[in-house]
Each structure stands twice: as structure tokens, then as C-alpha cells.
Amino acid sequence: MAEQESIANFVEEIVQKSKTLREIIEILGPEVTSTDSETRESALKKLAGVISKLPDDFLAEEEVLLLLEFFLSRLEDSALSGGSVVLGLHHLVVHTKNLPTDCEIPLFQAIFKEGTVQSWSQKDRMRLFELLEFLLKKRIAGLKTLGFDFVLSFMRAASGERDPRCLVKIFQLYLEVVKNFDLGVFVEDMFELVACYFPVDYRPETKLNADEIVTREALLTGLESCLLSHQSFSLYVFQLVSEKILDDELSDSTKLEICEFLAKACLIFKPTTLVTYLDDYMTAFRSICLNPAERVHAKEIPSPVKNAIKYIVHCLRKDSENLEESLKSIADTSIENCEPFVLQAEMGLSGKALSLLQSIAETHEICARVILSKIFYWLGMLINANTVNAPQNKEEIIGETLPHIPVWLKIARTVNFAKPVQDALPGFFATFEGLEETAIKVMYQSAKELLLWKDLPKSEDITKFFTYLLDHMLVDLKENNEELRPPVYAFIRTYSEVDLENYVKILKECIGWDNIIRWDTPYDTNIKMLAEICCISIVNEESEQIFGDMIFSEKLVNVTEGSVTVELFKFNKDRTDRTVSNYLERWLYSGYNHLDLNDLGAYFQDIGYFLNNSLHEEVLRKELANFSEKFSAEAPRSRWFVLQCQNLDLMMQYLDKIMDAYFVGENPHLFKNHDLFTNTICPLYTAILNKEENWSEILEKYTAKLMVENPGMTRVCESRALFVAGRVEGVKMVEKLFENFIETPDHDIPLVADILDFEDRKYNPDLCKYKRTLMWKQRILCQFVPIYVRFFNGLAKDYEAKKSAFFKMLIQILRLARQIPVPQTHELLMILPIFCEALPMYSISQTEESSAILELVLDGLLELLKMAPPEKISEEALKIFLANFSEILSSQEHKIHIKLKTLDCLELMVKRCNSAVLIPYQSFTVQAIKKVSGSKKEVMRKKAATVRNLWELLKV
């Protein structure tokens, strides 16, 4: 305290010019020259403190020079006792505006050449490195005159650094040194200066303050930048990677990191030195991918290995003279070394070996042709199980091999290498016949590749193969196998696009089209599937004419599923011809008579999502023109289609027509029976308000009339529209809704939570093409939750009805949080206390209403336990939850679905939370679970047994 007072007094005297800086130094002289090191350090600390408190431009250049010389003369002495000299030097260089000209060389030499930087404390080393950073940025011209002397001194200062905070700074300095100085004979030494840290083996220290913690990613990024910073490092980088990636002591995860670094190196360096280590790298890739100990894990090749292979070939392309030789070497070596893993399928690595070869083949045509010459022969052996010793393994090996066939067909098609394919196809077709159920998906995928291969002669066998699949499609689609449907669709669309004439001819023969159009009997179930095939077959104007005629024929027009029609528009959304518009016109006026009004509205909206703006407007104008002056009792079919329109004039014309019919028509109450206000007017009003820049004019025009009908719903619509658009007024409207909510009698509560209901297609911002910000869901949650919590906390403790309504909102908040990819930890923890209050309120009461609210609370709690970081949930909250879970399970009144949800919560809790926190509650929780273990319901007994087992196995 006395020291700080002394510093403050000195600063005041200097600023007021009652004393000069030289006089202050003279006053401190006896202490500075004292024989006692602590006294000397204390004096230096005072002087450094005084300097740091002075304004940046207070000291003249001569004074700064004097102080620099003074501190430099005492540099080594201070290193042994405290480091106040470094503090003074750092402030003088980095913060003083009047730094003397040409002072950088003596400064650098005294500190970094003659001094021993690594003998200082971490804080002082950091200050010295920051000082050097300043000189490199502001006084680089002077430092450059030092040449190699600078490089050598920098290496001495940085060598042996272990503190991650200092290392990050060193890596930054390193890049400046490499950029500005000729490394000369020190190239290898400079590389080794940072190479010793590769690969990064570091975990952040949790005891540091948050602002001091250096992430592993920051260290890794800095280190890699240094290693790749100079073309002369090429040889050393590829050599370093070779040593580390073959190091048996490093884990596979570390080796994958090395693969990622290798990919970056290949982008930067020339291939001259890379070629030397190709065999080492390929050996390492096989070791990582074909490790027998890892065979039970994912069958895909890790993406870092794929990228490394891809960029190795990319690097080799830079040397066109030796490219072919290098690529053939890679492919030949890979074929030779992968063959045992492929053919000895019972090792369990056949699929991964094929995938590794695929990664190599996809990089270049030369590699592909070398590998293709062998691969189809191997595939034939595998799908016939020629290399399988144990019969029980045959089915598994065939199942693992089949998906690779279309993949390799695509590679062969890409490089147009037909010979091995033509040799293998007859065998494949013969095998497919015996594996129909297992191979059907692969058959469609393979057929698509063969169709796309224009230069492949279509032999009789291939044509028979296509015909077989066309004949089989009705059956496959009727099975409603969602995994099979995409490849069937792809086959249909490809065949229709590349060979329409033959496709139509064979399809009509297979389905017996001529007989179908003459049928007088009731429709067969295959007719619906035929309609689906016709829809999917539309890929251009020509096919639309043919298959459109079939779809809108008398036999098919009323069996075509709306969802299939949506798929048609989805597949063709990028077409610029009349395919879409021609079909849409026919569908609108011929193809919807069999659909329910709500289904029609939904399908119409789904179709609209895939239309471009001009076509969307064209259709909407026709809809407006067809509005009858006297509305029918049904709402218009385009009521949700219009929500997507970007032409606000059209939207308002539409709304005006609807409102005229609703409010001033001959029989306006007729429409109230059909929810015209709720399902048409409110959504359209919301969409217009959201998209209109001059939204206040929309409010002025429509609000008064809508408020008469339903004020609560009108306010919710207005709030939602502006809230989603990201307008400040939207937030204010939400707050106003809550205020009204608090003031309104219990029986007339507006549904504030409806604002967050974006799953309803009438208000889905994406489907309705609202104006919205980039991360609108995240923004809305972050804005809504604080408002929600604030108003909840303002409720009176005995205001149970209002609280119940707040509890119901929790589920909507959590549903929205679940849709956001980034965990919203802060917001989730804000609503945690509300759960702590809600659960005790409803776990005891057993009325029907309280049971419904309890179910919502449990649903919300499940979501919270899934998303919130377990370490952030307080022990007090866990205690409340567990006590009430036990209460629910012990009660005879709660229904089975409530108890099952409670067990779900207990299961999540024991799986995610720290066992040390749960141990004190283990005994009474297990006792509560035992009470439902004897339930008459099997589902309850099984669930209770699972959860009880987890809790009983808890250990600290």
C-alpha cells in the first residue's frame, strides 16, 4: 500500500512539474545502488510503476532514451530478483509515443543477443516477446540490418519454451521472422526450433483464468503455420510427417491429425521431396485404415486419410514429367498390399480395404485404371463367396461387398474404362438373380451407373437387366421401403432422361399399359404405384407430355398421391423450361379432385416451395382470377400457397378478397365454421406484415377489423411477424403480450407461446418464405427466454393459474432449442429454476389438468437434460428433481405414461451427470424405482429394471 502511495505521489509531482524524472531517479538512487537485492528491486519497481502511470506522450525522446539505457544496464541483475526492469522496458517500448530513433538495435542486442530470455519468469518472457513483436512491426528496417545475427538471437531466445501462452506469441513472431529475414544456413535450425512441438501433446490447465487459457487448437494452428511458412522447409516437413505417422507410440487419433497436416503441406510445397516418402505414407494409411483391432468400428475411411491421399496426388500433378510414374507406383503398391485384406474377407477388413482403394482411385484416372484392372475380378470373387472358408460368414461378406459394386461402376464410368466392367457384368447379373432380396438396392444403383455410361455398349444382358428392374418396380414401391425408394427413383429418372423412347416402350410392356386403359374393374393397388412411377419419370418437357397424359388419364388421375407430386416438383425445381409449369397447370385443374381440402392446401404449399418467383406469381394470379364473387363454403385451395409469395400487392389483393367474403359477404358466419379466420386470414396477415418494409401501414389498414374478431390472436400474429423479421418492434410487441397476459383474467389468456410454434406449416418461416435473419431461431430463443423468465419471476407466488400457463410454454421453448445446432446453454440454464418450481407443484396433485401439465414439464425436463451441460445443473436442482421423481414413482395415482417419462428422466440423469453428485441420492432413488418394478405392465417392468440397474451400478 505504501509503495502504491509513493508511486502516486511521484507521478503527481512529475505531471505538475514540481519535480523532474531525473530528480525522482536521484531520490531513488540510494535504493537502486543498495547492496541488498530486495531494496534494489523495490526501487526499480517504483520507477517502472511511475513510468507506466505517466501519459504515453509525456516523456520526451531524450528522457525515454535515458530510461532505456538505465533499465538495460540493470537487466541481468533484475532477472535474479523480480523482473521490474522488464516491466519498465516493456512500457517504454510498447506504450511510449516518443521512442528514440535507431534504438531498436541496441535494445534487441542487449535483451535477445546478450541476455538469456528463458531465465525470466513466464510473465516477463511474455513481455519481452511482446516487445520484440512491437519492434518487428514498427522498426523492422533497423532490425533487418542485423541479418543472420538477428535470426540466431531469436532462436536462442525462443528455444526451449514450454509455456503455451508464450508459445502462441513465439509462433506469431516466427512467422514475421521467416517473412522478413533470409534464413541462410539456419534453415534447418529454424525448422527444428518449432518441429520439436509436433504433434501437439497438450491439454489446457483448468486452474488458469479463462482469459489465460490457451486452447489446443490455437497452439496447433500456430505451429502448423510455422512449419509451412517457408518453401525451404519442404524436405524437413515431409520427413517429419514420415517419422511421426509411422511412430507406433502415437495414437490413431494423433496420426489422423498428422494426415490433416500432410494435406495442408501438399497444397503448399512442390512434389520434389514428397516422392521420397510416398511409400511411407501409403504404409501409414494402410496401418490406420486396416488395423484389425479396429475392424468393428466404422467401415468408412477416415476423412483425414482421404484428404491426405487427395492432396498428395494434387501435389504430384505439379510435376507433369514424373506424374504417371508416381501415380502408377502408388496404385501398384496399394493393389499389392490391399489384396490380402480384400480377398481374405473373414478378417473383416474387406470393405475397408475396398474403400481405401476407392479413395486412391478417385484421385486420378491413372490410379483408377490400374486399380480397376483388378477390382472387378475381386468383387466377383467376393459376391460369390469364393474365398470364404466358413459357410456361416458367406451372407455377411456378400452383404458387405454388394454396396461397392455401383461405386466402382461409377469410377469406371468416370474414366471410361469399359473392359474390366464388360468382363465382370455377366457374372454380376447371374449372382444378382440368386440374391434378389439382398441385392435389389444395389441393382438399381448399378443400373443407374450403366445408364449414365453413354460410351458403354448396351449388350443384350444389360438390356435384360434394365427390363427386369422395370418389371420389378411396382412390387418394390408397393413395399414402401424408404431405404429402397431413393435408388428406385434415381433409376427411373436416369432411364427417362437418357433413353426416353426405350424406357417408355419397355415400361408400357412391363405394366401392360394397353390393358390398364381398358379396365372397367376397380383399381388394383398397383395402379397407385404406377401413378407414382409416371410422376417420377417426368424429367423434361418431352417426358412431361408422355407421362402427363398417362397420369391425367381416367385411370390414374384420381389415385396420384399428392406427396409424389411434390417429389416431382422437388426433382425438377432447377429446370428453366416449361416442364414444371406445364405439369402444374394440368395438376391444378385436373389432378386434385380426390384430395381432402387440407391435404390439397398442404400439397399446394409444398409444391410452391419449389417454384421460382415468376412461376409462383403466375399461378397466384390465375388463382385470384378464378375467385368467384360468391365464395363457396370452403376456403380456397391456395390459402397456404399464397403465404410464400414475394409480391406483396398480390398477397394483399388475396387477403382483401378473403376478408370481404368473411366480414361483408352474404353469409359471413358460414366461414366461421370452416376456420377461415384462423387458417387463412391470420396466416396471410402475418406473412404480409413480416415481408412488408412499411409494416406500420399494414397495421393501420387491417388491425382494427381483425381486433374485433379476435384481439389475442391478432396481437400474436403481429408479434410473430415482426419478431421473426428481426425488428426491434417485434421484441417490444412480445413484451406487451406478456404484460397483457399478466393483466388479463385467467379465463382469457392469449397463447403467447404460439409465437414459438414454427412447426405449424401456416407459420413455418422457411416454408412460408418469411423475411428472417440468418440465425433466426437462435436469435429468437435468445430474445424470448429473458423476457419469459423476467415476467415469470414477477408473478405473485400464489398466482397458480398464470404459472400453469408459463409452464406450458416451456415445451415450446425447448422444442425450438432442439432445432438449433449450437447448444444454447445460457438460455437453458435460465429456465432451470422454473422447472425446479414447476415439478414440486404438480408431482403431488393428481387432477386431470395438473397431470397434463406435469406431462409437459417432464417432456421439457427430458429435453433440458439432453441438451444442457450436466456440470452446469446445480446440485440443488438435481436434489429437487430426484425428490419429486421419487414422489411420482411412489404415488398410486399417477398414470403409467407419467411414470415412464419419469424413468426416462432418471435414466438420462444417471447417464449424463457426475456420479459423485448422484451417489448421496442413490439409495432412496433405487427404492422408488423398486416400487414400479412389480407393475402389471411389461413395458414398465422392463424400463424400471434398466434404470434400476444403472443406478445400482453407480460408483464414485
Side-chain angles (χ1 to χ4, degrees):
M1 189 69 182
E3 185 178 89
Q4 292 302 316
E5 287 180 5
S6 176
I7 290 172
N9 291 334
F10 283 149
V11 170
E12 186 178 354
E13 288 174 338
I14 293 172
V15 171
Q16 292 178 355
K17 299 188 177 179
S18 59
K19 281 189 174 67
T20 64
L21 184 61
R22 184 181 292 274
E23 288 173 333
I24 298 296
I25 295 174
E26 288 173 357
I27 292 170
L28 293 172
E31 295 180 39
V32 170
T33 56
S34 169
T35 56
D36 179 58
S37 61
E38 289 186 8
T39 303
R40 292 197 303 273
E41 183 62 23
S42 175
L44 291 171
K45 187 175 181 181
K46 289 178 186 176
L47 182 57
V50 169
I51 294 169
S52 65
K53 300 289 184 183
L54 292 173
D56 291 350
D57 58 352
F58 185 82
L59 296 174
E61 189 173 314
E62 296 78 10
E63 292 175 306
V64 175
L65 181 61
L66 173 67
L67 287 166
L68 286 174
E69 291 173 349
F70 174 79
F71 279 124
L72 287 174
S73 67
R74 285 157 176 76
L75 190 62
E76 291 303 319
D77 180 47
S78 182
L80 301 174
S81 51
S84 297
V85 164
V86 171
L87 181 63
L89 286 170
H90 178 272
H91 186 83
L92 287 169
V93 174
V94 176
H95 298 293
T96 303
K97 290 186 177 180
N98 299 317
L99 189 65
T101 306
D102 299 331
C103 69
E104 60 271 9
I105 293 176
L107 256 175
F108 177 83
Q109 289 176 327
I111 297 172
F112 296 99
K113 181 180 179 181
E114 298 164 9
T116 52
V117 172
Q118 287 301 315
S119 66
W120 293 85
S121 68
Q122 184 274 326
K123 284 187 178 180
D124 289 328
R125 293 201 308 277
M126 179 62 85
R127 290 188 182 114
L128 291 175
F129 289 134
E130 287 174 353
L131 183 152
L132 178 57
E133 181 181 38
F134 178 88
L135 296 179
L136 280 168
K137 288 181 178 179
K138 303 295 184 181
R139 300 293 179 92
I140 185 65
L143 294 179
K144 277 187 173 182
T145 61
L146 295 171
F148 294 144
D149 205 19
F150 178 92
V151 176
L152 184 59
S153 299
F154 171 74
M155 289 192 293
R156 281 187 65 241
S159 180
E161 181 60 65
R162 302 302 297 172
D163 188 272
R165 294 163 290 181
C166 291
L167 277 174
V168 169
K169 183 59 66 179
I170 285 174
F171 293 155
Q172 294 168 356
L173 294 171
Y174 187 97
L175 295 176
E176 291 296 318
V177 174
V178 169
K179 182 173 72 174
N180 290 292
F181 290 85
D182 179 9
L183 302 184
V185 295
F186 297 116
V187 168
E188 186 174 0
D189 295 314
M190 274 293 283
F191 179 80
E192 291 298 333
L193 178 67
V194 291
C196 60
Y197 301 108
F198 185 84
V200 172
D201 181 16
Y202 164 71
R203 295 291 177 272
E205 293 183 38
T206 54
K207 64 183 180 181
L208 294 175
N209 296 328
D211 58 341
E212 291 185 308
I213 293 176
V214 174
T215 64
R216 185 175 184 277
E217 290 71 22
L219 269 182
L220 183 62
T221 302
L223 173 60
E224 288 183 351
S225 297
C226 293
L227 294 173
L228 303 175
S229 61
H230 201 284
Q231 282 296 325
S232 300
F233 293 164
S234 171
L235 171 63
Y236 309 119
V237 165
F238 289 129
Q239 184 179 26
L240 175 68
V241 170
S242 173
E243 291 172 2
K244 298 299 182 181
I245 206 168
L246 292 172
D247 189 342
D248 293 335
E249 294 184 3
L250 294 180
S251 66
D252 277 356
S253 60
T254 302
K255 290 182 179 181
L256 290 177
E257 256 185 18
I258 296 171
C259 288
E260 291 176 341
F261 173 68
L262 174 58
K264 296 172 187 174
C266 289
L267 278 172
I268 290 173
F269 297 130
K270 295 176 182 178
T272 314
T273 51
L274 169 65
V275 176
T276 310
Y277 300 100
L278 285 179
D279 286 345
D280 289 349
Y281 297 154
M282 300 313 294
T283 300
F285 299 154
R286 289 193 300 275
S287 172
I288 295 168
C289 299
L290 305 179
N291 183 352
E294 300 291 331
R295 65 180 183 274
V296 297
H297 297 308
K299 295 179 181 179
E300 289 295 316
I301 299 301
S303 57
V305 173
K306 286 184 179 180
N307 284 334
I309 294 170
K310 174 183 174 181
Y311 288 109
I312 283 173
V313 174
H314 174 84
C315 183
L316 294 173
R317 286 175 187 267
K318 301 172 190 175
D319 180 13
S320 56
E321 186 177 338
N322 299 306
L323 177 63
E324 184 173 352
E325 181 185 348
S326 299
L327 294 180
K328 282 185 175 179
S329 172
I330 290 174
D332 285 331
T333 304
S334 300
I335 281 281
E336 180 183 346
N337 288 291
C338 286
E339 183 174 9
F341 294 98
V342 174
L343 296 182
Q344 295 175 28
E346 285 164 304
M347 292 173 63
L349 294 168
S350 177
K352 291 193 81 170
L354 288 169
S355 295
L356 178 58
L357 290 169
Q358 175 193 336
S359 298
I360 298 167
E362 287 174 339
T363 60
H364 199 280
E365 181 179 345
I366 293 173
C367 293
R369 285 177 171 267
V370 171
I371 295 172
L372 285 166
S373 63
K374 293 281 189 180
I375 209 78
F376 282 101
Y377 172 68
W378 292 351
L379 291 171
M381 293 182 71
L382 288 170
I383 63 171
N384 288 300
N386 292 341
T387 63
V388 179
N389 296 318
Q392 64 269 25
N393 295 331
K394 180 177 178 179
E395 186 177 339
E396 181 183 350
I397 289 166
I398 291 172
E400 184 179 7
T401 305
L402 283 170
H404 291 276
I405 292 175
V407 171
W408 285 102
L409 284 173
K410 182 177 181 180
I411 293 172
R413 173 175 64 80
T414 304
V415 300
N416 198 25
F417 192 31
K419 182 65 171 65
V421 175
Q422 290 171 316
D423 293 341
L425 281 178
F428 287 170
F429 294 153
T431 304
F432 286 159
E433 288 181 15
L435 298 170
E436 183 181 303
E437 187 176 337
T438 308
I440 190 65
K441 178 181 176 182
V442 167
M443 290 165 70
Y444 282 112
Q445 292 170 330
S446 301
K448 175 194 167 186
E449 295 304 326
L450 295 174
L451 282 164
L452 288 170
W453 197 341
K454 295 179 181 178
D455 296 330
L456 180 71
K458 301 302 185 284
S459 65
E460 186 179 344
D461 283 345
I462 293 176
T463 304
K464 285 181 179 178
F465 181 51
F466 295 159
T467 304
Y468 171 82
L469 292 175
L470 288 175
D471 197 34
H472 211 268
M473 283 192 306
L474 289 173
V475 176
D476 292 333
L477 290 173
K478 192 160 60 175
E479 288 180 0
N480 205 26
N481 182 337
E482 291 307 314
E483 186 180 344
L484 184 57
R485 192 166 246 96
V488 174
Y489 280 7
F491 168 67
I492 292 171
R493 292 181 58 76
T494 303
Y495 207 163
S496 180
E497 188 165 11
V498 302
D499 192 4
L500 180 62
E501 184 179 349
N502 279 326
Y503 172 63
V504 173
K505 177 184 174 184
I506 298 172
L507 178 64
K508 285 187 174 182
E509 289 173 359
C510 289
I511 63 177
W513 176 251
D514 292 337
N515 292 328
I516 289 173
I517 60 175
R518 289 194 295 268
W519 282 352
D520 294 323
T521 54
Y523 301 126
D524 184 88
T525 51
N526 283 348
I527 293 295
K528 188 178 286 188
M529 299 301 104
L530 175 57
E532 180 176 355
I533 290 170
C534 290
C535 266
I536 302 306
S537 298
I538 296 175
V539 295
N540 50 37
E541 288 186 67
E542 189 179 359
S543 58
E544 191 279 329
Q545 185 63 51
I546 295 170
F547 290 104
D549 289 345
M550 293 171 70
I551 290 166
F552 296 110
S553 65
E554 184 181 349
K555 296 295 183 180
L556 298 188
V557 68
N558 289 325
V559 296
T560 306
E561 292 280 359
S563 58
V564 177
T565 303
V566 173
E567 288 294 310
L568 183 157
F569 286 95
K570 179 180 177 181
F571 284 133
N572 292 291
K573 62 184 172 65
D574 296 324
R575 295 200 67 83
T576 56
D577 57 17
R578 297 288 301 174
T579 303
V580 172
S581 56
N582 289 346
Y583 185 86
L584 181 59
E585 187 170 346
R586 293 213 263 188
W587 183 80
L588 285 173
Y589 301 106
S590 305
Y592 62 87
N593 295 331
H594 62 294
L595 294 174
D596 169 83
L597 177 64
N598 280 333
D599 289 341
L600 175 60
Y603 291 138
F604 203 176
Q605 186 184 21
D606 289 338
I607 288 168
Y609 183 76
F610 298 110
L611 302 183
N612 59 51
N613 287 342
S614 61
L615 182 55
H616 198 285
E617 282 187 26
E618 181 184 329
V619 174
L620 194 55
R621 289 183 192 279
K622 289 179 180 178
E623 287 292 294
L624 275 168
N626 289 330
F627 274 8
S628 59
E629 292 185 10
K630 279 189 175 181
F631 254 91
S632 66
E634 293 183 333
R637 64 190 178 185
S638 53
R639 56 182 172 164
W640 299 331
F641 177 88
V642 67
L643 304 177
Q644 302 160 329
C645 185
Q646 301 302 309
N647 185 324
L648 292 168
D649 289 337
L650 275 180
M651 294 177 78
M652 285 193 282
Q653 287 178 44
Y654 198 106
L655 180 58
D656 289 341
K657 283 183 178 286
I658 300 290
M659 289 183 65
D660 285 347
Y662 187 79
F663 288 105
V664 299
E666 292 181 9
N667 191 5
H669 297 291
L670 181 65
F671 296 101
K672 298 185 181 180
N673 296 329
H674 293 84
D675 298 322
L676 194 67
F677 184 85
T678 303
N679 288 326
T680 305
I681 292 175
C682 284
L684 183 50
Y685 175 55
T686 304
I688 293 171
L689 196 57
N690 169 268
K691 298 174 187 181
E692 176 59 72
E693 288 295 327
N694 298 319
W695 52 271
S696 57
E697 295 179 6
I698 304 298
L699 287 178
E700 188 176 335
K701 180 176 180 180
Y702 295 106
T703 299
K705 189 176 286 188
L706 297 177
M707 287 288 285
V708 171
E709 183 65 24
N710 190 324
M713 187 173 290
T714 301
R715 291 305 184 203
V716 168
C717 289
E718 292 167 353
S719 302
R720 188 198 323 253
L722 300 183
F723 201 30
V724 173
R727 301 189 187 281
V728 175
E729 292 80 5
V731 179
K732 294 177 180 177
M733 284 185 172
V734 171
E735 292 181 330
K736 186 65 178 176
L737 273 177
F738 273 103
E739 288 175 9
N740 293 339
F741 171 78
I742 300 298
E743 297 166 2
T744 305
D746 294 343
H747 65 276
D748 188 23
I749 295 174
L751 298 175
V752 184
D754 279 357
I755 293 173
L756 301 184
D757 184 8
F758 301 118
E759 295 178 9
D760 186 338
R761 66 168 51 249
K762 302 188 296 294
Y763 298 105
N764 183 310
D766 294 322
L767 190 56
C768 297
K769 299 186 178 180
Y770 279 179
K771 177 182 178 182
R772 56 208 184 278
T773 53
L774 183 62
M775 294 187 290
W776 62 271
K777 291 179 182 176
Q778 188 171 338
R779 172 184 56 77
I780 284 174
L781 188 74
C782 293
Q783 290 175 327
F784 187 88
V785 168
I787 299 171
Y788 168 82
V789 172
R790 172 158 50 89
F791 278 96
F792 177 85
N793 291 337
L795 286 173
K797 290 187 176 180
D798 58 347
Y799 217 156
E800 187 173 331
K802 295 288 187 185
K803 287 190 174 183
S804 298
F806 268 91
F807 296 147
K808 291 175 184 177
M809 293 182 206
L810 284 172
I811 194 68
Q812 290 286 23
I813 293 173
L814 290 164
R815 279 177 184 163
L816 181 60
R818 189 170 51 192
Q819 298 171 35
I820 301 170
V822 180
Q824 302 301 295
T825 306
H826 178 69
E827 283 68 32
L828 291 174
L829 294 175
M830 283 181 73
I831 61 175
L832 184 63
I834 299 177
F835 279 103
C836 292
E837 186 168 338
L839 198 57
M841 187 179 294
Y842 296 103
S843 63
I844 301 174
S845 175
Q846 284 100 32
T847 65
E848 190 170 331
E849 183 182 357
S850 66
S851 182
I853 296 174
L854 177 59
E855 186 175 0
L856 284 173
V857 171
L858 289 172
D859 283 337
L861 195 50
L862 273 169
E863 295 298 325
L864 183 70
L865 290 171
K866 287 175 189 174
M867 294 185 288
E871 68 276 5
K872 297 290 186 181
I873 301 176
S874 68
E875 189 172 345
E876 183 61 32
L878 289 174
K879 183 178 179 181
I880 292 171
F881 294 155
L882 288 169
N884 285 278
F885 292 159
S886 297
E887 183 71 38
I888 293 169
L889 294 177
S890 303
S891 170
Q892 299 296 318
E893 304 298 327
H894 285 300
K895 296 179 180 178
I896 186 170
H897 68 279
I898 294 289
K899 294 187 177 183
L900 284 171
K901 288 181 187 292
T902 303
L903 289 171
D904 286 337
C905 289
L906 284 169
E907 183 178 6
L908 257 180
M909 197 174 282
V910 75
K911 285 179 177 178
R912 299 202 69 219
C913 296
N914 188 338
S915 57
V917 177
L918 299 179
I919 284 288
Y921 313 102
Q922 181 183 32
S923 178
F924 80 80
T925 302
V926 170
Q927 290 302 316
I929 298 171
K930 284 181 180 179
K931 292 180 181 178
V932 294
S933 298
S935 171
K936 294 178 182 179
K937 299 288 185 180
E938 184 181 5
V939 65
M940 177 69 84
R941 293 197 303 273
K942 285 184 176 180
K943 186 69 180 179
T946 301
V947 178
R948 176 181 169 183
N949 187 49
L950 290 169
W951 274 87
E952 286 180 338
L953 292 174
L954 265 181
K955 293 180 180 178
V956 179

